[in-house]
Amino acid sequence: IGKGKKEKLSRMDIAGFLYKKGNLTREDVGAIDVKEHYAFVAVRRAKVKQLLNLIQGEKIKGMKTIIEEAK
């Protein structure tokens, strides 16, 4: 996720976004690591493609950001 602490994005903001917009459950989401300008989220491998399709173009806390799979 292309936003982080400097943009006032928290772990709870990311978790809520993924549960609501991404149709994920607590079991599908693992560790959420928020850095200064980006964040990493562990998502169940079977759900990644579906998640990326659902949240494409969505905003987190009103901010447009890049959300992509880390390689």
Side-chain angles (χ1 to χ4, degrees):
I1 298 177
K3 301 284 184 199
K5 289 179 183 174
K6 292 285 185 183
E7 293 82 20
K8 299 199 177 3
L9 192 64
S10 72
R11 295 173 64 206
M12 294 307 295
D13 295 329
I14 294 170
F17 172 76
L18 294 175
Y19 298 151
K20 187 175 178 186
K21 301 283 187 180
N23 290 336
L24 296 180
T25 63
R26 290 183 191 273
E27 291 77 35
D28 295 329
V29 179
I32 300 174
D33 189 16
V34 182
K35 301 292 185 190
E36 293 297 311
H37 294 287
Y38 57 90
F40 289 110
V41 181
V43 177
R44 191 178 303 255
R45 192 177 302 270
K47 300 273 187 166
V48 171
K49 293 265 189 269
Q50 170 195 341
L51 172 67
L52 291 175
N53 287 332
L54 286 172
I55 61 176
Q56 187 175 5
E58 294 287 343
K59 295 179 179 180
I60 300 177
K61 282 183 69 177
M63 296 180 288
K64 190 169 183 171
T65 186
I66 295 171
I67 300 173
E68 60 188 11
E69 185 176 1
K71 300 283 187 228

